[in-house]
Each structure stands twice: as C-alpha cells, then as structure tokens.
Amino acid sequence: MKRNRRILGMTPAQVGILVGLAGTVCVLFGVTGWLIFGGAVNIQLPFSPFAEAAPTPVVTATTYVLPTFTPTVTPTPIPYEQLIPNGWKQFKTELVELWLPSSFKTTDKDANEELAIQGENSTSLYRMRVSVSYEPLTGDSLDAHLDAGLAKMDAQVRVVERRKVLLNSTEAIRMLAEVRVETVDVNQLIYAVQDGGTVWFVVYVAQINEFYEMLPLFEQSAKTFRVVK
C-alpha cells in the first residue's frame, strides 16, 4: 500500500477543502465591496465625511443706541442793570422796583396797590396804566391761588392766555385778559410772581388798538420787576 502524502501536515483532501473555503471568502468580500463602493446601494455611514454638515446658526449683531441724556439747563440771570433800557425811569418803593419809559408817571393808588403808574397817551380813549399789587398766598401753589381768584373774577373779564414763564430766571405765570370798560375794549398783560407767602401782580393795561403795539415794551418792563430785599 502506498503511503499518503501530506502537505503542511494535511492530507490532499484537507488541503482541497481549505482552498475551497478561501475562495468562497474572497468571493463574499468581493461582492460586499462592490455593494458598498460600486453604487448599487448608497449606504451612508453615521459619521461619514460626506454627510451633509448641520447648518451653523448665523448671529446677527443688533446695534443698541443708548438714550440721549439732555441735562436741564438753568438760565443764568442777566445782571439787573443790563435789563434797563437807556432813558427809562425807575419806580421804586420799600418793597418793589420797576422801570418804564420816562413818559410814564405815578398816579393815585388803590388800597392794595404798591405802585400805580400812568402813561401819557392823549390819542386813546382809555389811559394806559401799570400797577403793582400783592396779596397773601392761599392754597398749595401759585396755580391754585390763581384758580381760586379767577373763579371769583367778574364775568366781563376773559382770560385768553395763561402760561408759565421766566422773568430773568424768576418763575412767573403770564396771563392775557380782555375786558370791556363801558364802551372801550381793553386788554391786560398780567404777571403773577410768588415770593414766599406773598403773590405779586404786575399788570399792564391799554386800549386794544394800542395794546399790541405796546406789548414788547410791557414785556421788557416786566423783566425789571423785582422785590427789594
């Protein structure tokens, strides 16, 4: 009997079986590689570098504008002497001072008046008049005091304007009023100024046809009003 040959310790039959298994494995790897890389089936691995990148949010900067701060500016008082026009005359008592053109003259005062001044206007039916008077403050404020006083005023007097102003840095309330005296239409420019517990009234009165011509002069005169300390 012939002795069987052995290859690497295996019989020829065992070698044939091993070669057959190796060939089968090669075929399986070849098919799998074709399926993956040949495009028959598009297989995308979870972390594939070809996967579409997630969109990156775009941050848009929002411009924030700080609110503009506007400081309250307190007006600087003009030196009193600079408020007096050349050629004007001083009207003064122990309590107050006021300046007007030299054509104005003092006249008889009413009971509550500190100053009574009359203008020289021969062409008018109603003689121009300027007065300074005072009364104790009633109510919580100057506005409240005026509200109470206007409520008691004669119905013939009509206040057509009322607003807060500054008389050379002194707070005041400015009013325009209209009234008919007998057959003459008269206008009044009134300034109310609070000085502690006292309210001062500076009043300019003229016939309507000359009132607005004199209004700039009246307003300039009112700036010269001051309480003598």
Side-chain angles (χ1 to χ4, degrees):
M1 174 182 291
K2 291 182 178 180
R3 184 176 293 178
N4 293 331
R5 279 191 318 162
R6 290 179 177 272
I7 301 172
L8 298 176
M10 293 184 291
T11 66
Q14 289 174 333
V15 173
I17 292 170
L18 182 60
V19 171
L21 289 173
T24 302
V25 171
C26 289
V27 172
L28 290 175
F29 273 106
V31 172
T32 303
W34 179 83
L35 289 175
I36 295 174
F37 301 105
V41 179
N42 185 15
I43 300 176
Q44 194 173 65
L45 299 178
F47 300 101
S48 169
F50 301 102
E52 184 178 355
T56 303
V58 178
V59 179
T60 303
T62 302
T63 303
Y64 179 72
V65 181
L66 293 173
T68 302
F69 174 72
T70 304
T72 302
V73 179
T74 303
T76 303
I78 299 174
Y80 186 76
E81 293 74 16
Q82 295 181 18
L83 298 172
I84 304 167
N86 292 331
W88 280 28
K89 183 169 63 175
Q90 181 190 49
F91 297 86
K92 185 177 181 181
T93 69
E94 293 180 356
L95 299 179
V96 294
E97 179 179 0
L98 186 72
W99 290 73
L100 281 160
S102 58
S103 58
F104 285 79
K105 304 183 184 302
T106 56
T107 187
D108 295 337
K109 298 186 295 184
D110 291 338
N112 64 335
E113 289 182 327
E114 184 67 17
L115 278 175
I117 306 163
Q118 189 169 274
E120 297 292 336
N121 50 341
S122 58
T123 61
S124 176
L125 296 176
Y126 184 89
R127 180 159 290 181
M128 200 179 305
R129 183 179 173 88
V130 180
S131 66
V132 177
S133 60
Y134 65 94
E135 59 190 33
L137 174 70
T138 59
D140 298 330
S141 65
L142 179 57
D143 275 310
H145 181 91
L146 295 178
D147 288 340
L150 292 173
K152 302 174 184 178
M153 190 175 289
D154 192 314
Q156 291 184 343
V157 180
R158 189 166 66 96
V159 176
V160 296
E161 182 182 314
R162 173 176 168 177
R163 58 188 172 90
K164 292 183 179 181
V165 296
L166 289 177
L167 291 178
N168 193 30
S169 78
T170 299
E171 293 184 358
I173 294 180
R174 177 186 187 272
M175 295 180 288
L176 285 178
E178 298 174 348
V179 62
R180 190 171 182 83
V181 180
E182 296 180 353
T183 60
V184 181
D185 291 322
V186 174
N187 281 26
Q188 299 178 349
L189 173 64
I190 306 166
Y191 287 94
V193 180
Q194 181 181 348
D195 179 37
T198 302
V199 179
W200 289 94
F201 293 94
V202 185
V203 184
Y204 302 84
V205 187
Q207 189 175 341
I208 190 171
N209 60 357
E210 64 180 355
F211 177 82
Y212 288 100
E213 294 179 6
M214 298 295 296
L215 185 57
L217 184 148
F218 292 159
E219 291 174 332
Q220 180 65 37
S221 171
K223 294 178 183 178
T224 69
F225 170 76
R226 66 175 177 178
V227 178
V228 179
K229 301 296 184 180

